[in-house]
Amino acid sequence: EDQVTQSPEALRLQEGESSSLNCSYTVSGLRGLFWYRQDPGKGPEFLFTLYSAGEEKEKERLKATLTKKESFLHITAPKPEDSATYLCAVQAPSGNTPLVFGKGTRLSVIA
Amino acid sequence: KAGVTQTPRYLIKTRGQQVTLSCSPISGHRSVSWYQQTPGQGLQFLFEYFSETQRNKGNFPGRFSGRQFSNSRSEMNVSTLELGDSALYLCASTMASAETQYFGPGTRLLVL
């Protein structure tokens, strides 16, 4: 069974204190790995899609990387507005398989 | 381009009732997926519709059902509501199944 594990469950950072969130997965092959941001009471907002090991993508203070077993979301010099839950999801390559989500990392950035 | 819309945004029902939730995908998107999100279980896949056909189904009881119309709008129905059905129900759309899913704001369902 495909599984996605995110760590840590919660992370508290001071403004400007860089860190990384981890997403490890077990899936037979990988069609894509997706990162989303979710604010309380809202739907997930798409951030990145990664397709192959070694791939990296950046957006503002966020950078996502992918290896054969895990992905990292690096947050550089975070600001309070980066506080949210960050979700990782994977899609297996066989057929039209649905996304499998991790339970997320709840990030709090304190001014 | 308008995003995914879901109605209603909030709903309160009592045990045993049924409920219908609606989702309008992004224009041009033909695939609609539904998810249930709870604090304990996270996001769990309910079902996916593509061109009015259910293409995938998650591990939920038959009380959960859905359909898709010719304009790609989708509805999901939950019959005989239970307390454990209280959750945020999210809809996501894509042009095709293998592409990035874009989520709506969700419908918050509370079952009393």
Side-chain angles (χ1 to χ4, degrees):
Chain A
E1 183 181 321
D2 300 338
Q3 288 195 327
V4 179
T5 303
Q6 292 188 245
S7 61
E9 287 186 18
L11 182 62
R12 186 182 171 99
L13 299 173
Q14 292 293 319
E15 184 173 4
E17 180 187 2
S18 301
S19 188
S20 297
L21 314 182
N22 177 263
C23 170
S24 62
Y25 60 90
T26 56
V27 63
S28 301
L30 181 70
R31 171 173 274 175
L33 184 142
F34 304 83
W35 282 99
Y36 289 86
R37 168 197 169 122
Q38 186 174 25
D39 293 300
K42 297 188 176 181
E45 174 190 345
F46 170 71
L47 293 173
F48 304 109
T49 306
L50 302 168
Y51 293 103
S52 56
E55 189 174 359
E56 299 182 353
K57 289 194 176 173
E58 287 188 68
K59 179 181 178 180
E60 297 181 354
R61 294 177 293 282
L62 301 177
K63 178 179 174 181
T65 62
L66 181 65
T67 72
K68 287 187 177 180
K69 292 184 178 181
E70 59 191 349
S71 177
F72 292 93
L73 185 66
H74 307 278
I75 303 177
T76 302
K79 298 182 178 181
E81 53 262 42
D82 294 323
S83 297
T85 295
Y86 290 85
L87 298 166
C88 168
V90 300
Q91 187 173 37
S94 55
N96 299 302
T97 53
L99 296 184
V100 176
F101 279 84
K103 293 191 176 181
T105 293
R106 191 171 62 255
L107 174 67
S108 300
V109 182
I110 311 302
Chain B
K1 207 173 198 182
V4 178
T5 58
Q6 293 187 243
T7 57
R9 292 294 313 279
Y10 305 94
L11 210 47
I12 300 176
K13 293 286 187 179
T14 57
R15 280 182 299 173
Q17 287 187 309
Q18 74 166 19
V19 67
T20 299
L21 311 181
S22 179
C23 171
S24 292
I26 293 171
S27 178
H29 285 193
R30 296 168 62 191
S31 171
V32 173
S33 297
W34 289 90
Y35 294 86
Q36 181 194 67
Q37 187 176 32
T38 58
Q41 298 298 319
L43 268 120
Q44 293 188 290
F45 173 74
L46 282 157
F47 27 66
E48 183 213 356
Y49 287 88
F50 183 82
S51 294
E52 302 178 67
T53 300
Q54 186 180 89
R55 194 154 61 173
N56 277 301
K57 189 177 190 307
N59 188 26
F60 278 82
R63 300 185 297 106
F64 292 82
S65 63
R67 59 178 175 168
Q68 187 180 34
F69 302 95
S70 58
N71 62 357
S72 294
R73 189 177 71 84
S74 178
E75 289 181 348
M76 68 163 282
N77 183 276
V78 187
S79 62
T80 318
L81 284 165
E82 300 178 358
L83 295 179
D85 297 333
S86 295
L88 181 66
Y89 290 88
L90 292 160
C91 161
S93 76
T94 60
M95 289 189 70
S97 184
E99 296 185 8
T100 299
Q101 294 189 8
Y102 294 91
F103 284 84
T107 295
R108 172 76 64 185
L109 172 64
L110 177 62
V111 182
L112 301 177

